[in-house]
Each structure stands twice: as structure tokens, then as C-alpha cells.
Amino acid sequence: MNQSPPPWSASLIWSNPNTLHNLRSQRGQIPSKSGIYVFSKVPFINSPGGILYVGKATSLKTRLASYLGDPAETRIFSRDGSRTSTTLKHPGKVQILMEAMHCGGHNIWVSWTCHASPGRLEGALIEWLQPAFNSRMEEVLPDSTGNT
């Protein structure tokens, strides 16, 4: 694991870290812009270790709001009961919500950086930070023989 930050990481401007618990009452500070968000067990993002999840969003405000509800009230099925909630189809999100339920969100830190094209940046951050809850695509998608 490479512990030193890659040179490009110095150009990223991160929000001040906030606990998930506190962010619930301070939603107005989350921008509506596209970008990257990081959940961690530590209040800084400068090296691997303690990073839980890295994600991208076309609207940070909308995406992060989906993590700010009470995890105990997370819906298992859609409102009409016809399908599984999209939350449960996202393993990283489920793990963050389970962590939040366990600690009340007091020990989960959130930071974000606005970025016009978050896709490539997300991949680079996942490679560098090696978050615990991000699954690698080769672990999720079956190969040509149908094996995972």
C-alpha cells in the first residue's frame, strides 16, 4: 500500500470534515455541485487507513442527503412494496448506514470536494485510499465464464 499522497491530491480542496451526526443538522453547507465524498473513521483524508467509503455524485447535496436519515428507519422495500429499496442494492451505502446505526454517526466523518468530472477522480482515490467498503468491480461483476 502506497502511504505517500499522489502529487495530484494536493490540488484537491476538501470541505472541513464533519461528523455524520452533526451534518444531519447542517445540510445547508453541502453544495449542489458534482464531486467526490469520503466517509472515514478519522477527521482527515491524507493517507490510507480509516477510510470507509469513497463515492461520486452529480449533486453532492442530493447524494449525501440519502445518508443523513435515521438508519433505523431505512426502507427495505419501495413505498408501494413492489421492489427492493435502491439503498439495499448499494453495498457500500448499506455498510455506512450500519456503521451509523451502531455509533449514531458520531464517529463517522464526511468530507467532500467539488469536481466537474468526478468519475476518474473517484477511481484514483479508491486506488490510493483503499476504502474498506468500496468493492472492486472485478469482485462484483462475473467474468466471461459466469464466475465472480
Side-chain angles (χ1 to χ4, degrees), residues 1 20 57 69 135:
M1 174 177 5
L20 190 56
S135 56

Side-chain angles (χ1 to χ4, degrees), residues 2-145:
N2 182 5
Q3 292 290 336
S4 60
W8 52 262
S9 68
S11 67
L12 299 175
I13 301 170
W14 291 97
S15 66
N16 289 326
N18 208 333
T19 65
L20 190 56
H21 174 78
N22 289 340
L23 196 55
R24 288 178 179 139
S25 64
Q26 299 169 7
R27 295 172 191 236
Q29 71 178 351
I30 305 170
S32 295
K33 296 179 178 182
S34 63
I36 299 293
Y37 56 96
V38 176
F39 289 99
S40 64
K41 294 291 248 175
V42 293
F44 49 84
I45 304 169
N46 60 2
S47 67
I51 304 299
L52 299 174
Y53 187 77
V54 174
K56 67 180 180 293
T58 55
S59 168
L60 289 164
K61 182 182 268 326
T62 301
R63 178 64 53 83
L64 288 173
S66 71
Y67 289 90
L68 298 177
D70 182 351
E73 295 180 13
T74 299
R75 217 179 272 110
I76 295 173
F77 296 103
S78 61
R79 289 191 192 273
D80 65 7
S82 64
R83 63 189 184 284
T84 305
S85 167
T86 56
T87 295
L88 298 180
K89 294 178 182 176
H90 191 291
K93 185 173 184 178
V94 170
Q95 290 173 304
I96 291 294
L97 292 172
M98 288 174 58
E99 283 283 322
M101 193 161 50
H102 175 71
C103 70
H106 293 280
N107 296 324
I108 299 176
W109 295 85
V110 185
S111 294
W112 59 82
T113 184
C114 295
H115 198 276
S117 304
R120 290 183 67 193
L121 178 58
E122 178 194 33
L125 283 168
I126 289 170
E127 183 178 329
W128 171 47
L129 297 171
Q130 300 180 2
F133 298 158
N134 283 87
S135 56
R136 285 181 253 142
M137 292 310 291
E138 63 268 15
E139 293 174 356
V140 176
L141 297 176
D143 64 20
S144 59
T145 64

